[in-house]
Amino acid sequence: VGIGGTTVTDSNLLNLQGSSASVNIGAVFNDTNASRIYSIQNGGGALKFHDYTASTERMRIDSSGRLMVGTTTEGYATFGDKLTIADSGHCGLTIRSGASSQGNIYFSDGDSGGSEEYEGIIQYLHDVNAMAFGVGSGVERMRINSSGNVGIGTTSPSHGALTLSQSASSAFNALVIQQGNTGSTASDGLHIGIDSGVNAYITHKESRAISFGTADTERMRIDSSGNVLIGTSVSNGSYRLTINDPGDNLIAVRSDAAA
């Protein structure tokens, strides 16, 4: 059946055709007392879902296949416009799963059935109330548990606010802190971690000092030459240890009995 035109353009049982591309053509749905009236329209290069009762378009799919909910304007055109959800107030998206199930967002670059279908994953694990992040064939790399503790390389960050772990015993497990003046290679910045011999280390890769302080005041530093300075930030000539104190008590050595 063709309505609005002289030619049925395909094998659909019902074909609705407008007089021009700018004219809306569609179907209207309403209940018996017309308290709610909705329509599906094709016009202006988009398929539109309209709420006549509220005089508002609720959703559209445009000619580029972009889905817009609550708006007629797509999102960031370069990388974020396939799905746009908008509201004049607070706006959000809900994924509702079972109490012991997962809510998932998958990032894929293929459709052959292999790991390219889940290269990246964001998961909420309702059974343990944790958020997990996976990259590289979806392998979990980071987790935030129900207490707010962050684990990188571990699924059990239960012993501190941040836990770093690596499974390979030969690899260094390091926190690396870098900024614009340090560079960004493996030999730049401040490294804190555990080496392959399970020895703890704090290493400044730059030719600069490491300082230690309490009460917002520097108390000790190790300068770039390896000199230890206590109570001062200036090395005393070639001495490896320099202690500066306005009082008379510079060094105290006690045995357990005298403590």
Side-chain angles (χ1 to χ4, degrees), residues 100-118:
S100 60
S101 302
Q102 301 175 3
N104 301 292
I105 300 176
Y106 287 84
F107 300 87
S108 169
D109 57 10
D111 57 6
S112 65
S115 62
E116 70 274 6
E117 291 195 353
Y118 50 88

Side-chain angles (χ1 to χ4, degrees), residues 141-159:
R141 305 297 185 181
M142 184 175 75
R143 173 177 294 209
I144 305 172
N145 70 9
S146 59
S147 298
N149 297 332
V150 177
I152 299 177
T154 178
T155 60
S156 302
S158 57
H159 304 297

Side-chain angles (χ1 to χ4, degrees), residues 1-17:
V1 178
I3 300 175
T6 60
T7 304
V8 178
T9 57
D10 53 35
S11 59
N12 292 326
L13 294 179
L14 177 63
N15 189 295
L16 305 179
Q17 183 176 333

Side-chain angles (χ1 to χ4, degrees), residues 38 139 198:
Y38 302 96
V139 177
V198 200

Side-chain angles (χ1 to χ4, degrees), residues 61-190:
I61 303 172
D62 70 6
S63 58
S64 298
R66 297 175 295 197
L67 176 61
M68 286 158 269
V69 180
T71 181
T72 60
T73 304
E74 73 280 358
Y76 180 47
T78 304
F79 301 115
D81 62 348
K82 286 301 181 183
L83 171 63
T84 303
I85 302 174
D87 196 286
S88 59
H90 300 301
C91 186
L93 175 68
T94 298
I95 299 175
R96 182 174 288 115
S97 310
S100 60
S101 302
Q102 301 175 3
N104 301 292
I105 300 176
Y106 287 84
F107 300 87
S108 169
D109 57 10
D111 57 6
S112 65
S115 62
E116 70 274 6
E117 291 195 353
Y118 50 88
E119 288 291 354
I121 304 176
I122 299 175
Q123 296 178 315
Y124 191 84
L125 313 172
H126 288 280
D127 56 340
V128 292
N129 287 322
M131 183 75 78
F133 302 84
V135 296
S137 299
V139 177
E140 183 177 327
R141 305 297 185 181
M142 184 175 75
R143 173 177 294 209
I144 305 172
N145 70 9
S146 59
S147 298
N149 297 332
V150 177
I152 299 177
T154 178
T155 60
S156 302
S158 57
H159 304 297
L162 174 63
T163 301
L164 306 179
S165 179
Q166 285 180 303
S167 58
S169 60
S170 60
F172 286 5
N173 178 23
L175 172 64
V176 178
I177 303 173
Q178 298 174 335
Q179 46 107 299
N181 293 326
T182 65
S184 57
T185 71
S187 59
D188 292 315
L190 176 66

